[in-house]
Every structure is written in structure tokens, then in C-alpha cells.
Amino acid sequence: MPLKRVPGTLAALLVLAWAGHAAAESLAPVKIRYCHGYGCKMRSPVIFSSGDLLALKRILDGGKASPAAERAAISRADQWYERKAGAATGTSKDGAKDTYELFTPLSEIDCVDETVNTTTLLELLDRHGWLRHHKAGRPANRGFLIDGRYPHNTATIIEKASGRRWVVDSWVRANAEPPDIKPLDVWKREGGRRG
């Protein structure tokens, strides 16, 4: 059937073509800088291919049902991200709660690195519209030594419905293990001499 005989067909085709182009653009490869070596001493490139971005989207799609389900999906996305970045940057063997030493290898990651890296991931997810129940928040910190707690930083998310802030703290566990995800007010009360 010729296009001129069906009203709106051309417009519908243009809309579909544009939507397909927009979807393809949103999954165009992305290059990020992954911090490591303590205090972002190193910023190594990590490339997310279109396939990688699709994998992340699928992980987040598993959290559609509720804010709690989305926080679990964010945990899985962070683990996936650390596996990918660890392979690309040599940080796969980063341990839990690493602390600074005189000759700290560049493959180690402190809480500043972890905060920047996790915030980068959360902002990427937010920018693509894959977070339904949360949005990326500003980093948070706790501890001042004089209060008996080692200074510590973390990434945060904000639950859209309630406005409640949650931490996504991947420093507390080894590379690619589940991060702590808990309310910010709970996290702020925690922490000993080693964070």
C-alpha cells in the first residue's frame, strides 16, 4: 500500500526511525576514567561497549518492582562494573578496606577511589534513565580521627519517593563483592579506627 494513501504512516515511520536512532545513541560506547592507586592517583580508561551498556540496562531492569529491588539491582550492577573495570585496570585483586601504606601498589583502591568510581556508575545509570526509584546523590563522608573514627567516603543514592539517602559503599568488601547499601543516617553512626 503506498504511503500517501495511509494517513500518518510516514509520520509513524519517522517517529520509529527517530526512536531507533535515539535508542542506538543512548547505547553508544562510553569511555570513563576509573580511579585507583589511592586518592585517584591513577585514572585509567574503561570502555563500556554497546553490549556492556545493554548488560547494565538488563541488570537494572531487574529492579523495576520497588526501591528495595532497585537497590539490589544497583548492588549487582556495581559488582558487574568492578569485574569489568578490574580486568581493564589491573585492580581485580583489590581487597576489602584497604588502607594507605608507604608503598601502596597502584592496583589498590581506597575509599576516595571507590566513591568516585561508584558515583561515576550511578551517574551513568541515572543519565540513561535506568534508575526508576532512585537518583545518583552527592558523595558523603564520616569520621575525623579526633572522634575515634578514620575518615571515610562513600557514594550515595536518593530514593525518589521518600527523599531518603542511601549509601553504596563498595570499599568495605573486596573487588566485585556486594557493596554495603544502607540508609545514610545508619552509615554515619558506624565506623571505627579503620573506617
Side-chain angles (χ1 to χ4, degrees):
M1 190 181 297
L3 289 179
K4 64 181 181 177
R5 296 172 122 186
V6 180
T9 302
L10 183 56
L13 288 173
L14 288 173
V15 168
L16 287 174
W18 182 82
H21 176 70
E25 268 188 12
S26 70
L27 293 180
V30 174
K31 177 171 145 180
I32 60 127
R33 296 286 178 186
Y34 194 78
C35 287
H36 57 102
Y38 280 67
C40 283
K41 186 182 294 180
M42 298 292 296
R43 289 177 165 260
S44 298
V46 175
I47 306 290
F48 290 129
S49 69
S50 297
D52 292 331
L53 293 171
L54 188 57
L56 273 173
K57 182 181 182 318
R58 286 185 185 131
I59 291 169
L60 268 294
D61 283 347
K64 287 189 230 185
S66 68
E70 186 165 85
R71 288 189 294 275
I74 288 169
S75 175
R76 292 189 301 276
D78 187 66
Q79 293 168 68
W80 177 93
Y81 172 54
E82 287 194 356
R83 279 191 297 279
K84 169 134 182 96
T89 63
T91 59
S92 293
K93 296 190 187 305
D94 177 58
K97 293 188 175 184
D98 285 335
T99 56
Y100 181 78
E101 296 170 14
L102 187 56
F103 298 106
T104 301
L106 295 176
S107 60
E108 295 298 317
I109 300 175
D110 71 350
C111 69
V112 172
D113 298 324
E114 295 277 11
T115 299
V116 171
N117 294 336
T118 302
T119 300
T120 299
L121 172 67
L122 293 168
E123 288 173 348
L124 176 78
L125 300 175
D126 207 357
R127 191 168 51 250
H128 282 297
W130 299 336
L131 295 176
R132 292 168 179 84
H133 302 284
H134 299 84
K135 62 183 179 179
R138 293 181 328 276
N141 57 50
R142 69 175 184 214
F144 302 101
L145 290 181
I146 59 171
D147 67 357
R149 298 184 306 162
Y150 191 78
H152 181 42
N153 301 286
T154 188
T156 69
I157 52 176
I158 302 166
E159 190 174 329
K160 292 176 182 176
S162 68
R164 189 168 198 190
R165 287 181 71 193
W166 296 75
V167 301
V168 182
D169 189 356
S170 54
W171 176 75
V172 296
R173 296 203 179 77
N175 186 72
E177 291 183 4
D180 272 0
I181 299 182
K182 60 179 72 171
L184 176 64
D185 57 331
V186 171
W187 181 86
K188 284 271 196 182
R189 291 191 300 268
E190 298 175 340
R193 296 276 311 165
R194 290 181 51 91

